[in-house]
Amino acid sequence: MVDTRVAPAIEGVIAYPVTPFDDSGVDTAALAAMITRLVAAGVQAIAPLGSTGELAYLSETEFDAVIDTTVAAVDGAVPVLAGVSDLTTANTVRRARYAQRAAVDAVQVIPVSYWKLSEREIVEHYRAVSDAIDLPIMAYNNPATAGVDMSPALLVSMFRDIDHVTMVKESTGDLARMQALADLSDGALPFYNGSNPLVLDALRAGATGWCTAAPNLAAQPCLDLVAAVRAGEQEQAQRLYDGLKPLLEFIVAGGLATTIKAGLEMLGVPAGVPRRPLLPLDEAGRAELKSLISAV
């Protein structure tokens, strides 16, 4: 097996694109253009097929098309971190294997289940994915969407015991959990912030990167914020965060796929509408979003 303790350089601003649809399924031309735009803006990694990319609503053919299109559009410029999660372990493994064959750099796995999963079941889910691939795995904790909450102690134990689990994305918005990940692993476990409104505190606490859909609408302020924290320019970082915070709060509250697609259309970037049961942003929301984008 490949030694994935030497993980690819996934750090900084990790951008999550939406998945645009047309009458035939995924609009691959629009997706490629969207990803090329993000890479040109300077993001440090591309992460297709998260909740922003509506992974839960895609067929397997559509999943494969997004993977292939993303890898081709990025063309090695930055790492690709692909979401591969599914309700079943078997299909999560299938997706992870497909992503590996397509030459992504790492995969992201969130344990999603209709049934409440025990820690033993969560561990075996990740172990099955790890045994099937030779790629780094980002364990993604977001109980608000998955219904499964992984404690810092569980995440650190999987980091120590499962070969390919090498990093964690924490999206609860609880800074204490990020600090616990660092403390329990003696600083060895890279953690990433997945809660947009928490980003400044998370970066100050040592987050390796910021997993976010915000660069679709305001890439440069996001990049500048991370750079300011890294440079120790705390007053500048605070100013940038204060300017971004209303937009970050809005896109989370309004649903990332819904708000990002609406915002991209306002910016002249074809993104289509979200897939039902998600609905397009209403007129009041569009007016507010337009004002927030203009203010950044």
Side-chain angles (χ1 to χ4, degrees), residues 205-256:
T208 299
W210 175 18
C211 299
T212 177
N216 290 283
L217 307 183
Q220 197 58 54
C222 295
L223 293 163
D224 291 345
L225 171 57
V226 173
V229 175
R230 297 286 190 258
E233 298 170 353
Q234 297 302 337
E235 290 185 4
Q236 173 68 355
Q238 188 68 56
R239 283 193 293 271
L240 289 162
Y241 174 71
D242 290 343
L244 274 169
K245 185 179 179 184
L247 177 63
L248 298 178
E249 292 178 338
F250 182 88
I251 62 176
V252 171
L256 291 171

Side-chain angles (χ1 to χ4, degrees), residues 163-174:
D163 288 342
H164 297 88
V165 175
T166 61
M167 47 193 162
V168 168
K169 175 184 172 184
E170 176 58 61
S171 295
T172 58
D174 183 352

Side-chain angles (χ1 to χ4, degrees), residues 10-270:
I10 299 177
E11 58 186 8
V13 176
I14 300 149
Y16 283 63
V18 297
T19 301
F21 301 112
D22 57 23
D23 291 341
S24 63
V26 176
D27 184 342
T28 55
L31 176 60
M34 199 177 300
I35 290 169
T36 299
R37 175 176 174 268
L38 286 167
V39 172
V43 301
Q44 280 84 39
I46 297 290
L49 299 166
S51 53
T52 305
E54 299 177 77
L55 172 60
Y57 305 137
L58 301 184
S59 70
E60 294 312 292
T61 299
E62 290 171 334
F63 172 91
D64 296 352
V66 171
I67 291 287
D68 293 339
T69 301
T70 302
V71 171
V74 170
D75 195 25
V78 295
V80 173
L81 169 66
V84 297
S85 307
D86 187 67
L87 278 170
T88 68
T89 298
N91 206 44
T92 303
V93 166
R94 188 213 76 83
R95 290 175 168 183
R97 284 174 167 160
Y98 190 92
Q100 176 169 282
R101 288 195 299 271
V104 307
D105 297 281
V107 298
Q108 176 179 278
V109 176
I110 183 169
V112 183
S113 182
Y114 178 86
W115 299 103
K116 181 177 175 61
L117 299 179
S118 68
E119 288 197 355
R120 181 172 66 92
E121 289 166 331
I122 293 168
V123 168
E124 290 309 309
H125 180 69
Y126 277 95
R127 195 183 307 280
V129 178
S130 177
D131 289 347
I133 59 174
D134 291 322
L135 289 175
I137 298 170
M138 175 182 281
Y140 174 23
N141 188 47
N142 190 349
T145 57
V148 177
D149 191 3
M150 297 183 287
S151 69
L154 174 60
L155 289 163
V156 171
S157 71
M158 291 197 299
F159 168 68
R160 288 175 172 158
D161 298 340
I162 301 176
D163 288 342
H164 297 88
V165 175
T166 61
M167 47 193 162
V168 168
K169 175 184 172 184
E170 176 58 61
S171 295
T172 58
D174 183 352
L175 186 63
R177 286 175 177 248
M178 296 186 188
Q179 293 168 331
L181 290 170
D183 293 343
L184 292 171
S185 69
D186 296 321
L189 173 57
F191 64 90
Y192 297 73
N193 175 59
S195 172
N196 282 298
L198 188 69
V199 58
L200 181 56
D201 287 340
L203 290 170
R204 286 172 170 168
T208 299
W210 175 18
C211 299
T212 177
N216 290 283
L217 307 183
Q220 197 58 54
C222 295
L223 293 163
D224 291 345
L225 171 57
V226 173
V229 175
R230 297 286 190 258
E233 298 170 353
Q234 297 302 337
E235 290 185 4
Q236 173 68 355
Q238 188 68 56
R239 283 193 293 271
L240 289 162
Y241 174 71
D242 290 343
L244 274 169
K245 185 179 179 184
L247 177 63
L248 298 178
E249 292 178 338
F250 182 88
I251 62 176
V252 171
L256 291 171
T258 295
T259 55
I260 298 300
K261 285 188 171 182
L264 284 168
E265 292 290 349
M266 293 175 194
L267 295 172
V269 180

